[in-house]
Amino acid sequence: MNDLLFGVDPEEASVPALVWAVDEAARRRLRLRLVVAVPPVHDRLRYDALGHRTALRIRAESALADVEELVRRLRGTLPTTSELVGGAPATVLLARAAGADLVVVGSRRLGRAAELLGENSVVVPLTARAPCPVVVVRAPEHTEVHPPTLVVGVDGSAESQEAVAFAVREASLREARLRAVWVWPRPVLAREDTEAGLAERRRLLAGSVAGWTERYPDTDIDQDVVRGHPVPELTLAARESLALVVGRTGRGGHSGMRLGSTVHGLLHHADCPVITVPSGAPGLGGDRPRGRAERPPHLEPDRPPPG
């Protein structure tokens, strides 16, 4: 049985994230793997380092026990395993993400500097480097809205195709509709804002989702092209959704660069769970519709202007 990996935060337990993970593991028939990391102690004098390390371990054990009890109350029949590991949280979770179908973590809503530079930061380094999709739950999903909807960001890149593949299957599992949104950044020159450009992006968006309705006839897919910057527009589009799905578009460098500015911004602003899908994510390779339209080589993926 494959795993859904859930990162337990010993400092601030995220009940919405745990509920999301438990429900998703049940939907996908995955084992829930609970992992809590005890970070190393570097900022203490030798004489009290042992006491501080012991206190951290006790807190981690207590948090793990609380999470295990909540899982039993939520869904007692769900296959579950638990692990307490010494090491930096992001490093521990990354090592175990290689064997997982999905990773779920909560968010403390830290600022960008804390997420990028903090020794125990998790969200940005994990989302930037994990080989499988990562779900960051800052706020609960909007289950009270009908019909239930998932939103996927599309920009014509290969990475966004991975996001579409994941999003369609997720919408089918949840019996939800899928809204595919292409955000077209506003042009520097007014003459670039043409009806022909809009028609071309509508065509490319249609090509990005072509074939999926035949493979998943139970899932309705809406298509929208909107103008603006991807972060506020996708945040607005997903304000009442179950989740927002995006591809990981960053390249090289530190975690923030590997993540890409759009995903980084969505992790801090979206009011629903954000699912980031890397290229080659497990479980997607054989789930491709045949005959899907390819992106023409003359049009690059739409990206917001720098700065």
Side-chain angles (χ1 to χ4, degrees):
M1 177 178 285
N2 293 345
D3 287 343
L4 184 151
L5 180 64
F6 178 75
V8 178
D9 186 347
E11 293 188 19
E12 185 177 330
S14 174
V15 174
L18 180 61
V19 171
W20 200 100
V22 168
D23 289 344
E24 189 72 4
R27 275 189 291 267
R28 292 177 175 264
R29 299 181 181 179
L30 299 173
R31 178 177 63 177
L32 180 63
R33 187 177 185 184
L34 307 171
V35 176
V36 61
V38 181
V41 177
H42 298 307
D43 60 344
R44 299 281 168 154
L45 298 175
R46 181 174 298 179
Y47 67 85
D48 71 342
L50 179 59
H52 185 52
R53 188 179 299 113
T54 300
L56 289 176
R57 185 176 183 88
I58 291 173
R59 183 168 61 184
E61 290 173 344
S62 176
L64 186 58
D66 290 344
V67 168
E68 290 171 336
E69 176 60 25
L70 184 52
V71 171
R72 283 192 291 269
R73 292 182 180 181
L74 290 171
R75 201 176 291 265
T77 60
L78 183 68
T80 306
T81 183
S82 303
E83 188 178 9
L84 187 148
V85 188
T91 302
V92 168
L93 292 174
L94 278 170
R96 284 148 184 81
D101 281 10
L102 200 65
V103 180
V104 181
V105 292
S107 173
R108 300 183 198 167
R109 300 173 182 261
L110 299 178
R112 291 196 174 194
E115 280 289 11
L116 282 172
L117 305 176
E119 180 182 8
N120 295 324
S121 65
V122 172
V123 168
V124 168
L126 180 63
T127 306
R129 298 176 183 274
C132 64
V134 175
V135 186
V136 177
V137 183
R138 294 179 67 244
E141 58 188 15
H142 299 284
T143 56
E144 73 283 357
V145 178
H146 295 281
T149 303
L150 268 81
V151 173
V152 58
V154 183
D155 64 5
S157 66
E159 292 85 358
S160 75
Q161 300 291 356
E162 300 281 349
V164 170
F166 182 96
V168 173
R169 185 182 181 210
E170 184 71 11
S172 178
L173 285 171
R174 290 167 164 264
E175 299 182 350
R177 69 171 184 168
L178 179 62
R179 183 185 179 196
V181 179
W182 184 305
V183 181
W184 184 15
R186 295 194 180 280
V188 177
L189 302 176
R191 58 183 173 82
E192 297 176 7
D193 194 0
T194 65
E195 287 297 323
L198 177 60
E200 177 70 353
R201 281 158 179 83
R202 285 175 175 166
R203 184 182 69 82
L204 293 172
L205 176 57
S208 296
V209 301
W212 288 112
T213 53
E214 289 78 9
R215 191 172 181 88
Y216 290 90
D218 60 322
T219 302
D220 294 328
I221 303 178
D222 298 331
Q223 303 173 38
D224 290 307
V225 176
V226 298
R227 300 307 311 264
H229 190 284
V231 173
E233 292 301 332
L234 288 174
T235 296
L236 179 64
R239 68 189 184 280
E240 295 183 340
S241 70
L242 296 175
L244 171 62
V245 185
V246 289
R248 192 170 72 199
T249 58
R251 293 287 186 275
H254 58 71
S255 294
M257 292 175 64
R258 288 174 61 94
L259 194 57
S261 61
T262 296
V263 178
H264 201 162
L266 292 171
L267 290 175
H268 286 270
H269 296 288
D271 291 322
C272 67
V274 176
I275 306 174
T276 305
V277 183
S279 297
L284 297 181
D287 195 23
R288 308 287 188 200
R290 296 181 179 179
R292 185 177 59 187
E294 296 293 333
R295 179 173 56 87
H298 69 274
L299 183 61
E300 292 299 316
D302 279 324
R303 304 282 194 235

Short mmCIF file of all heavy atoms in Angstrom, two decimals, residues 199-242:
data_model
loop_
_atom_site.label_atom_id
_atom_site.label_comp_id
_atom_site.label_asym_id
_atom_site.label_seq_id
_atom_site.Cartn_x
_atom_site.Cartn_y
_atom_site.Cartn_z
N ALA A 199 -8.08 35.04 -28.27
CA ALA A 199 -8.58 33.83 -28.95
C ALA A 199 -7.53 32.73 -28.94
O ALA A 199 -7.86 31.55 -28.79
CB ALA A 199 -8.97 34.18 -30.39
N GLU A 200 -6.25 33.12 -29.12
CA GLU A 200 -5.19 32.12 -29.11
C GLU A 200 -5.07 31.45 -27.75
O GLU A 200 -4.91 30.23 -27.65
CB GLU A 200 -3.86 32.79 -29.48
CG GLU A 200 -2.63 31.88 -29.45
CD GLU A 200 -2.63 30.84 -30.56
OE1 GLU A 200 -3.63 30.72 -31.29
OE2 GLU A 200 -1.62 30.12 -30.68
N ARG A 201 -5.19 32.21 -26.68
CA ARG A 201 -5.08 31.62 -25.35
C ARG A 201 -6.29 30.76 -25.02
O ARG A 201 -6.16 29.75 -24.34
CB ARG A 201 -4.85 32.72 -24.32
CG ARG A 201 -3.40 33.17 -24.33
CD ARG A 201 -3.18 34.56 -23.77
NE ARG A 201 -1.76 34.88 -23.81
CZ ARG A 201 -1.13 35.35 -24.89
NH1 ARG A 201 -1.81 35.56 -26.02
NH2 ARG A 201 0.16 35.62 -24.87
N ARG A 202 -7.44 31.14 -25.50
CA ARG A 202 -8.61 30.28 -25.31
C ARG A 202 -8.42 28.96 -26.04
O ARG A 202 -8.79 27.89 -25.53
CB ARG A 202 -9.86 31.00 -25.81
CG ARG A 202 -10.34 32.10 -24.87
CD ARG A 202 -11.51 32.86 -25.47
NE ARG A 202 -12.05 33.83 -24.52
CZ ARG A 202 -12.89 34.80 -24.85
NH1 ARG A 202 -13.28 34.94 -26.14
NH2 ARG A 202 -13.35 35.63 -23.93
N ARG A 203 -7.82 29.03 -27.22
CA ARG A 203 -7.56 27.80 -27.97
C ARG A 203 -6.54 26.92 -27.25
O ARG A 203 -6.69 25.70 -27.17
CB ARG A 203 -7.05 28.15 -29.37
CG ARG A 203 -6.84 26.95 -30.28
CD ARG A 203 -6.30 27.38 -31.63
NE ARG A 203 -4.94 27.86 -31.52
CZ ARG A 203 -3.87 27.05 -31.48
NH1 ARG A 203 -4.03 25.73 -31.50
NH2 ARG A 203 -2.68 27.56 -31.39
N LEU A 204 -5.49 27.55 -26.72
CA LEU A 204 -4.46 26.79 -26.01
C LEU A 204 -5.01 26.18 -24.71
O LEU A 204 -4.66 25.06 -24.35
CB LEU A 204 -3.26 27.69 -25.71
CG LEU A 204 -2.48 28.16 -26.93
CD1 LEU A 204 -1.45 29.19 -26.52
CD2 LEU A 204 -1.82 26.98 -27.62
N LEU A 205 -5.86 26.93 -24.03
CA LEU A 205 -6.47 26.40 -22.82
C LEU A 205 -7.34 25.20 -23.15
O LEU A 205 -7.30 24.17 -22.45
CB LEU A 205 -7.29 27.49 -22.13
CG LEU A 205 -8.07 27.08 -20.89
CD1 LEU A 205 -7.15 26.48 -19.83
CD2 LEU A 205 -8.83 28.27 -20.31
N ALA A 206 -8.11 25.31 -24.22
CA ALA A 206 -8.94 24.19 -24.64
C ALA A 206 -8.08 22.98 -24.97
O ALA A 206 -8.41 21.83 -24.65
CB ALA A 206 -9.81 24.58 -25.84
N GLY A 207 -6.92 23.22 -25.61
CA GLY A 207 -6.02 22.13 -25.92
C GLY A 207 -5.42 21.49 -24.68
O GLY A 207 -5.15 20.28 -24.66
N SER A 208 -5.21 22.29 -23.64
CA SER A 208 -4.62 21.77 -22.41
C SER A 208 -5.53 20.80 -21.68
O SER A 208 -5.06 19.93 -20.96
CB SER A 208 -4.25 22.93 -21.47
OG SER A 208 -3.27 23.75 -22.04
N VAL A 209 -6.84 20.97 -21.84
CA VAL A 209 -7.78 20.08 -21.15
C VAL A 209 -8.46 19.10 -22.10
O VAL A 209 -9.29 18.29 -21.66
CB VAL A 209 -8.85 20.91 -20.39
CG1 VAL A 209 -8.19 21.83 -19.37
CG2 VAL A 209 -9.71 21.72 -21.36
N ALA A 210 -8.09 19.17 -23.38
CA ALA A 210 -8.72 18.29 -24.36
C ALA A 210 -8.45 16.83 -24.03
O ALA A 210 -7.34 16.45 -23.66
CB ALA A 210 -8.19 18.61 -25.77
N GLY A 211 -9.46 16.01 -24.16
CA GLY A 211 -9.31 14.59 -23.91
C GLY A 211 -9.68 14.15 -22.51
O GLY A 211 -10.02 12.99 -22.29
N TRP A 212 -9.61 15.08 -21.56
CA TRP A 212 -9.87 14.70 -20.17
C TRP A 212 -11.35 14.43 -19.91
O TRP A 212 -11.69 13.58 -19.09
CB TRP A 212 -9.36 15.78 -19.22
CG TRP A 212 -7.87 15.82 -19.14
CD1 TRP A 212 -7.04 16.80 -19.58
CD2 TRP A 212 -7.01 14.82 -18.57
NE1 TRP A 212 -5.73 16.48 -19.34
CE2 TRP A 212 -5.69 15.27 -18.71
CE3 TRP A 212 -7.23 13.58 -17.96
CZ2 TRP A 212 -4.59 14.53 -18.27
CZ3 TRP A 212 -6.15 12.85 -17.52
CH2 TRP A 212 -4.84 13.32 -17.67
N THR A 213 -12.25 15.14 -20.58
CA THR A 213 -13.67 14.89 -20.35
C THR A 213 -14.08 13.51 -20.87
O THR A 213 -14.99 12.89 -20.32
CB THR A 213 -14.52 15.97 -21.04
OG1 THR A 213 -14.14 16.07 -22.42
CG2 THR A 213 -14.34 17.31 -20.37
N GLU A 214 -13.39 13.04 -21.93
CA GLU A 214 -13.68 11.70 -22.41
C GLU A 214 -13.16 10.65 -21.43
O GLU A 214 -13.81 9.61 -21.21
CB GLU A 214 -13.04 11.47 -23.78
CG GLU A 214 -13.70 12.24 -24.91
CD GLU A 214 -13.30 13.71 -24.94
OE1 GLU A 214 -12.37 14.08 -24.18
OE2 GLU A 214 -13.91 14.47 -25.72
N ARG A 215 -12.01 10.91 -20.82
CA ARG A 215 -11.45 9.95 -19.87
C ARG A 215 -12.18 9.98 -18.53
O ARG A 215 -12.31 8.97 -17.85
CB ARG A 215 -9.96 10.24 -19.66
CG ARG A 215 -9.23 9.15 -18.89
CD ARG A 215 -7.74 9.41 -18.89
NE ARG A 215 -7.03 8.36 -18.19
CZ ARG A 215 -6.58 7.24 -18.74
NH1 ARG A 215 -6.81 7.03 -20.03
NH2 ARG A 215 -5.92 6.36 -18.03
N TYR A 216 -12.67 11.17 -18.15
CA TYR A 216 -13.41 11.33 -16.89
C TYR A 216 -14.75 11.99 -17.21
O TYR A 216 -14.95 13.18 -16.94
CB TYR A 216 -12.61 12.17 -15.90
CG TYR A 216 -11.39 11.48 -15.36
CD1 TYR A 216 -10.15 11.60 -16.00
CD2 TYR A 216 -11.46 10.70 -14.20
CE1 TYR A 216 -9.03 10.95 -15.50
CE2 TYR A 216 -10.34 10.06 -13.70
CZ TYR A 216 -9.13 10.19 -14.36
OH TYR A 216 -8.02 9.55 -13.86
N PRO A 217 -15.69 11.25 -17.78
CA PRO A 217 -16.97 11.85 -18.20
C PRO A 217 -17.80 12.37 -17.04
O PRO A 217 -18.74 13.15 -17.24
CB PRO A 217 -17.67 10.70 -18.93
CG PRO A 217 -17.04 9.45 -18.38
CD PRO A 217 -15.62 9.81 -18.09
N ASP A 218 -17.48 11.95 -15.80
CA ASP A 218 -18.23 12.41 -14.64
C ASP A 218 -17.79 13.80 -14.18
O ASP A 218 -18.41 14.38 -13.29
CB ASP A 218 -18.07 11.42 -13.48
CG ASP A 218 -16.61 11.27 -13.06
OD1 ASP A 218 -15.74 11.27 -13.96
OD2 ASP A 218 -16.34 11.14 -11.85
N THR A 219 -16.72 14.33 -14.76
CA THR A 219 -16.15 15.59 -14.30
C THR A 219 -16.39 16.70 -15.31
O THR A 219 -15.95 16.62 -16.46
CB THR A 219 -14.63 15.44 -14.06
OG1 THR A 219 -14.41 14.40 -13.10
CG2 THR A 219 -14.03 16.74 -13.54
N ASP A 220 -17.10 17.74 -14.89
CA ASP A 220 -17.30 18.92 -15.73
C ASP A 220 -16.08 19.83 -15.63
O ASP A 220 -15.58 20.09 -14.53
CB ASP A 220 -18.54 19.69 -15.28
CG ASP A 220 -19.83 18.91 -15.51
OD1 ASP A 220 -19.87 18.12 -16.48
OD2 ASP A 220 -20.76 19.08 -14.71
N ILE A 221 -15.60 20.31 -16.77
CA ILE A 221 -14.42 21.18 -16.80
C ILE A 221 -14.81 22.51 -17.42
O ILE A 221 -15.16 22.57 -18.60
CB ILE A 221 -13.26 20.54 -17.59
CG1 ILE A 221 -12.90 19.17 -16.99
CG2 ILE A 221 -12.05 21.47 -17.57
CD1 ILE A 221 -11.78 18.46 -17.74
N ASP A 222 -14.76 23.57 -16.62
CA ASP A 222 -14.99 24.92 -17.10
C ASP A 222 -13.64 25.55 -17.48
O ASP A 222 -12.61 25.22 -16.88
CB ASP A 222 -15.67 25.78 -16.04
CG ASP A 222 -17.03 25.24 -15.65
OD1 ASP A 222 -17.68 24.60 -16.50
OD2 ASP A 222 -17.45 25.46 -14.49
N GLN A 223 -13.66 26.47 -18.44
CA GLN A 223 -12.43 27.10 -18.91
C GLN A 223 -12.58 28.61 -18.90
O GLN A 223 -13.57 29.14 -19.41
CB GLN A 223 -12.11 26.63 -20.33
CG GLN A 223 -11.97 25.13 -20.48
CD GLN A 223 -11.83 24.71 -21.93
OE1 GLN A 223 -11.18 25.38 -22.72
NE2 GLN A 223 -12.46 23.59 -22.29
N ASP A 224 -11.59 29.29 -18.30
CA ASP A 224 -11.63 30.76 -18.22
C ASP A 224 -10.26 31.33 -18.52
O ASP A 224 -9.24 30.83 -18.00
CB ASP A 224 -12.06 31.22 -16.83
CG ASP A 224 -13.51 30.92 -16.53
OD1 ASP A 224 -14.37 31.32 -17.33
OD2 ASP A 224 -13.79 30.28 -15.51
N VAL A 225 -10.22 32.38 -19.33
CA VAL A 225 -9.02 33.18 -19.53
C VAL A 225 -9.27 34.53 -18.87
O VAL A 225 -10.26 35.21 -19.18
CB VAL A 225 -8.69 33.38 -21.02
CG1 VAL A 225 -7.49 34.30 -21.19
CG2 VAL A 225 -8.42 32.04 -21.69
N VAL A 226 -8.40 34.92 -17.93
CA VAL A 226 -8.57 36.19 -17.22
C VAL A 226 -7.30 37.01 -17.38
O VAL A 226 -6.21 36.48 -17.61
CB VAL A 226 -8.88 35.95 -15.73
CG1 VAL A 226 -10.19 35.20 -15.57
CG2 VAL A 226 -7.76 35.21 -15.03
N ARG A 227 -7.43 38.31 -17.25
CA ARG A 227 -6.29 39.23 -17.38
C ARG A 227 -5.80 39.65 -16.01
O ARG A 227 -6.57 39.86 -15.09
CB ARG A 227 -6.69 40.49 -18.16
CG ARG A 227 -7.18 40.28 -19.57
CD ARG A 227 -6.23 39.47 -20.41
NE ARG A 227 -4.86 39.92 -20.37
CZ ARG A 227 -4.31 40.73 -21.27
NH1 ARG A 227 -5.03 41.23 -22.24
NH2 ARG A 227 -3.03 41.05 -21.18
N GLY A 228 -4.46 39.79 -15.88
CA GLY A 228 -3.89 40.25 -14.62
C GLY A 228 -2.66 39.47 -14.23
O GLY A 228 -2.04 38.78 -15.05
N HIS A 229 -2.29 39.57 -12.96
CA HIS A 229 -1.15 38.84 -12.43
C HIS A 229 -1.63 37.50 -11.88
O HIS A 229 -2.69 37.43 -11.25
CB HIS A 229 -0.48 39.65 -11.31
CG HIS A 229 0.83 39.09 -10.87
ND1 HIS A 229 0.93 37.97 -10.05
CD2 HIS A 229 2.11 39.48 -11.14
CE1 HIS A 229 2.21 37.70 -9.84
NE2 HIS A 229 2.94 38.60 -10.49
N PRO A 230 -0.88 36.42 -12.10
CA PRO A 230 -1.36 35.09 -11.69
C PRO A 230 -1.70 34.96 -10.21
O PRO A 230 -2.68 34.29 -9.86
CB PRO A 230 -0.19 34.17 -12.06
CG PRO A 230 0.48 34.86 -13.20
CD PRO A 230 0.37 36.32 -12.89
N VAL A 231 -0.92 35.57 -9.32
CA VAL A 231 -1.16 35.35 -7.88
C VAL A 231 -2.52 35.91 -7.45
O VAL A 231 -3.36 35.17 -6.92
CB VAL A 231 -0.02 35.93 -7.02
CG1 VAL A 231 -0.38 35.85 -5.53
CG2 VAL A 231 1.27 35.17 -7.29
N PRO A 232 -2.81 37.19 -7.65
CA PRO A 232 -4.14 37.67 -7.22
C PRO A 232 -5.29 37.07 -8.01
O PRO A 232 -6.36 36.81 -7.44
CB PRO A 232 -4.06 39.19 -7.42
CG PRO A 232 -2.93 39.41 -8.36
CD PRO A 232 -1.96 38.31 -8.12
N GLU A 233 -5.09 36.80 -9.29
CA GLU A 233 -6.19 36.27 -10.09
C GLU A 233 -6.51 34.82 -9.71
O GLU A 233 -7.68 34.44 -9.61
CB GLU A 233 -5.86 36.36 -11.58
CG GLU A 233 -5.80 37.78 -12.11
CD GLU A 233 -7.11 38.54 -11.93
OE1 GLU A 233 -8.18 37.90 -11.90
OE2 GLU A 233 -7.05 39.78 -11.80
N LEU A 234 -5.49 34.00 -9.50
CA LEU A 234 -5.75 32.61 -9.08
C LEU A 234 -6.27 32.56 -7.65
O LEU A 234 -7.11 31.73 -7.31
CB LEU A 234 -4.48 31.77 -9.23
CG LEU A 234 -4.07 31.45 -10.67
CD1 LEU A 234 -2.71 30.73 -10.69
CD2 LEU A 234 -5.13 30.61 -11.38
N THR A 235 -5.77 33.46 -6.80
CA THR A 235 -6.29 33.54 -5.43
C THR A 235 -7.78 33.88 -5.45
O THR A 235 -8.59 33.27 -4.73
CB THR A 235 -5.53 34.61 -4.63
OG1 THR A 235 -4.15 34.21 -4.52
CG2 THR A 235 -6.11 34.78 -3.24
N LEU A 236 -8.17 34.82 -6.30
CA LEU A 236 -9.57 35.20 -6.43
C LEU A 236 -10.40 34.05 -7.00
O LEU A 236 -11.50 33.74 -6.50
CB LEU A 236 -9.70 36.43 -7.32
CG LEU A 236 -11.11 36.95 -7.57
CD1 LEU A 236 -11.75 37.43 -6.27
CD2 LEU A 236 -11.09 38.09 -8.60
N ALA A 237 -9.87 33.38 -8.02
CA ALA A 237 -10.61 32.29 -8.66
C ALA A 237 -10.86 31.13 -7.69
O ALA A 237 -11.87 30.44 -7.79
CB ALA A 237 -9.84 31.79 -9.88
N ALA A 238 -9.93 30.93 -6.75
CA ALA A 238 -10.02 29.78 -5.84
C ALA A 238 -10.58 30.14 -4.47
O ALA A 238 -10.52 29.32 -3.55
CB ALA A 238 -8.63 29.15 -5.67
N ARG A 239 -11.15 31.33 -4.33
CA ARG A 239 -11.54 31.79 -3.00
C ARG A 239 -12.61 30.92 -2.36
O ARG A 239 -12.76 30.91 -1.13
CB ARG A 239 -12.00 33.25 -3.05
CG ARG A 239 -13.31 33.47 -3.79
CD ARG A 239 -13.59 34.95 -4.00
NE ARG A 239 -14.89 35.20 -4.63
CZ ARG A 239 -15.11 35.10 -5.93
NH1 ARG A 239 -14.12 34.74 -6.74
NH2 ARG A 239 -16.30 35.34 -6.43
N GLU A 240 -13.39 30.18 -3.14
CA GLU A 240 -14.43 29.32 -2.59
C GLU A 240 -14.26 27.87 -3.06
O GLU A 240 -15.23 27.12 -3.12
CB GLU A 240 -15.82 29.85 -2.97
CG GLU A 240 -16.15 31.20 -2.37
CD GLU A 240 -17.56 31.66 -2.71
OE1 GLU A 240 -18.13 31.13 -3.70
OE2 GLU A 240 -18.09 32.53 -1.99
N SER A 241 -13.04 27.48 -3.36
CA SER A 241 -12.81 26.16 -3.93
C SER A 241 -12.32 25.15 -2.88
O SER A 241 -11.91 25.52 -1.78
CB SER A 241 -11.80 26.23 -5.07
OG SER A 241 -10.51 26.52 -4.58
N LEU A 242 -12.37 23.88 -3.26
CA LEU A 242 -11.84 22.83 -2.39
C LEU A 242 -10.33 22.91 -2.32
O LEU A 242 -9.73 22.62 -1.29
CB LEU A 242 -12.26 21.46 -2.92
CG LEU A 242 -13.76 21.15 -2.92
CD1 LEU A 242 -14.02 19.81 -3.60
CD2 LEU A 242 -14.31 21.15 -1.50
#
